[in-house]
Amino acid sequence: PEGVFLRVNGEMCRLLGYTEQELVGMTVAQLTFEGDLEKSRVDVARLMRGDITTMSKQKLYRHKSGRAVPCNLQVRSVLDEVGMPKFMVSSVQDLSDAKFAEQKLIQASKMSSLGEMAGSIAHEINSPMAVIQLSAEQLEDPEMVEFFDKEDVAMIAKRITDTVERISKIIRGLKNFSRNAEHDAMETVSLASVIDDSLELCREKFKNRNIEIRMADLPEVDVLCRPTELCQVLLNLLSNAFDAIDERKDGERWVEISGTYRFSRILLNVTDSGPGIPKAVSDRMHEPFFTTKPLGKGTGLGLSISKGIVENHGGHITLDSACKNTRFVMDLPATISTPALASAPEVKLASGS
């Protein structure tokens, strides 16, 4: 029932770091990481019962050294005379180079986004720095201090500490966003916190161009994710919305984040006041390096990478062609902690300014 290796070729041995003598007799479970173990056992059991005769998926194998080896796995059952599986033949393709290249592209896309946000982030930090400087000057001025009581000093001190925390939050967000999150463990976090972290990095950029951000009052929806990666997806959608609105010379200027929770999934909408995306563009928008932006303003990787990230989280991202504006919908598995809401068939997240 565990799936024992009966025969392996030299390439499989090289890929996983074992000799043929070591690998023959080992089970699939021994080469599978803990987080994938249950799913792997279910897949093997289905093949051995004859429920399915073929299977294709991406899988992380455990190398002899303990490191992960990303592979594309294809399995075919060989049946006996009564149609039951005798054994399985597997073909394993090493995806290490492809995954490495993919991560390089993801990092390049992140750095491009940070470059575009650099000016507004600098302003976002400089503004509170001015508050700290002014507060410190008040405390240093002997003529002003003479009229301060304890409550005044405490109020100024609190203003300084609150402002420092605001700057620290921005810097933490930049640090988390810029690093490689490939090996981060999946964790259950509040979706609202992911949205808040994303907005912290781009809010000033929207404010400087008089683009309103309309934020829904989200219920306590939790998602199992790598927060840095979901933040990257949201920032990409918000950045695309910003560029589309900023190019317009007239009309409304807003971006709205809203959503619907139902059937253990969250449909998160990012809508902007633009008129929508032409079909000729929408048909190609998930292609790597495809962009309609001027040279030097976009890598053409954002939506392609976002699509891959969301799919790796068990979801998908689509363009809502029925919306009169431009709306992207991110569909993700989610849980809601409030029992009353969890039992309801649908909870609409109303938008508001």
Side-chain angles (χ1 to χ4, degrees):
E2 292 288 344
V4 177
F5 287 95
L6 303 176
R7 185 183 300 173
V8 293
N9 65 8
E11 188 60 23
M12 186 69 171
C13 296
R14 183 203 62 78
L15 184 64
L16 299 181
Y18 291 94
T19 65
E20 183 179 353
Q21 290 75 20
E22 289 173 324
L23 207 47
V24 170
M26 291 182 70
T27 65
V28 173
Q30 289 175 283
L31 300 174
T32 302
F33 286 94
E34 185 69 31
D36 296 330
L37 206 51
E38 185 57 35
K39 179 67 168 64
S40 179
R41 283 174 174 156
V42 169
D43 289 339
V44 170
R46 291 180 68 203
L47 284 162
M48 297 185 74
R49 287 196 307 265
D51 296 345
I52 56 175
T53 57
T54 62
M55 182 181 68
S56 179
K57 68 174 185 176
Q58 289 192 6
K59 175 182 173 67
L60 285 178
Y61 278 99
R62 187 197 296 271
H63 190 273
K64 187 176 181 179
S65 65
R67 66 179 174 87
V69 182
C71 296
N72 186 51
L73 171 66
Q74 293 184 322
V75 184
R76 176 177 60 86
S77 295
V78 176
L79 307 180
D80 61 19
E81 59 276 3
V82 295
M84 292 302 294
K86 291 173 61 179
F87 56 87
M88 290 165 280
V89 178
S90 300
S91 172
V92 178
Q93 178 187 7
D94 185 5
L95 296 180
S96 298
D97 290 344
K99 288 293 183 182
F100 178 76
E102 180 183 27
Q103 286 303 315
K104 294 285 281 186
L105 288 176
I106 289 174
Q107 282 300 107
S109 180
K110 280 186 181 182
M111 294 304 104
S112 175
S113 297
L114 284 178
E116 292 175 10
M117 293 186 293
S120 59
I121 291 172
H123 188 273
E124 184 79 1
I125 292 175
N126 283 335
S127 295
M129 288 289 286
V131 173
I132 293 174
Q133 183 176 359
L134 177 62
S135 301
E137 287 172 354
Q138 287 178 326
L139 293 175
E140 287 178 339
D141 189 334
E143 294 182 2
M144 294 188 69
V145 170
E146 184 180 344
F147 297 99
F148 288 164
D149 56 23
K150 289 183 178 180
E151 287 76 15
D152 293 327
V153 173
M155 181 186 68
I156 294 172
K158 186 176 187 309
R159 187 165 64 209
I160 291 174
T161 55
D162 288 349
T163 307
V164 168
E165 176 55 32
R166 179 184 169 193
I167 295 172
S168 297
K169 185 176 180 181
I170 295 169
I171 293 172
R172 283 197 303 271
L174 282 172
K175 183 179 178 182
N176 287 334
F177 179 72
S178 61
R179 66 184 180 79
N180 189 341
E182 176 191 8
H183 300 297
D184 285 5
M186 300 283 274
E187 56 181 304
T188 300
V189 299
S190 160
L191 180 61
S193 69
V194 175
I195 295 172
D196 185 55
D197 288 345
S198 303
L199 291 176
E200 198 67 45
L201 294 175
C202 66
R203 188 177 280 113
E204 190 69 21
K205 176 180 176 180
F206 281 76
K207 180 181 175 183
N208 290 341
R209 300 298 296 172
N210 296 316
I211 299 174
E212 178 189 4
I213 297 177
R214 300 176 180 176
M215 181 66 193
D217 293 326
L218 298 174
E220 294 183 13
V221 180
D222 295 331
V223 289
L224 180 64
C225 68
R226 295 184 181 90
T228 301
E229 291 190 338
L230 279 196
C231 180
Q232 182 177 0
V233 174
L234 273 172
L235 276 174
N236 175 253
L237 295 179
L238 289 167
S239 179
N240 286 346
F242 174 91
D243 290 340
I245 297 168
D246 202 40
E247 289 173 359
R248 303 183 69 190
K249 304 302 180 185
D250 52 18
E252 297 181 329
R253 297 169 68 83
W254 53 263
V255 174
E256 179 183 272
I257 299 176
S258 61
T260 303
Y261 175 82
R262 59 185 178 189
F263 308 120
S264 299
R265 298 189 76 85
I266 182 74
L267 304 181
L268 186 67
N269 306 317
V270 177
T271 311
D272 67 59
S273 55
I277 298 176
K279 190 174 187 306
V281 175
S282 65
D283 286 345
R284 299 189 59 196
M285 64 187 181
H286 290 299
E287 295 178 12
F289 303 108
F290 175 76
T291 181
T292 59
K293 297 178 183 178
L295 185 65
K297 198 170 182 180
T299 62
L301 293 170
L303 281 176
S304 174
I305 288 172
S306 296
K307 179 175 181 288
I309 289 173
V310 173
E311 288 176 352
N312 286 340
H313 282 75
H316 53 268
I317 185 168
T318 56
L319 175 69
D320 183 359
S321 57
C323 180
K324 67 177 183 179
N325 298 112
T326 304
R327 172 179 293 162
F328 281 90
V329 181
M330 188 168 18
D331 179 345
L332 289 167
T335 57
I336 193 162
S337 59
T338 306
L341 290 176
S343 61
E346 178 174 314
V347 178
K348 185 70 177 178
L349 311 184
S351 63
S353 56

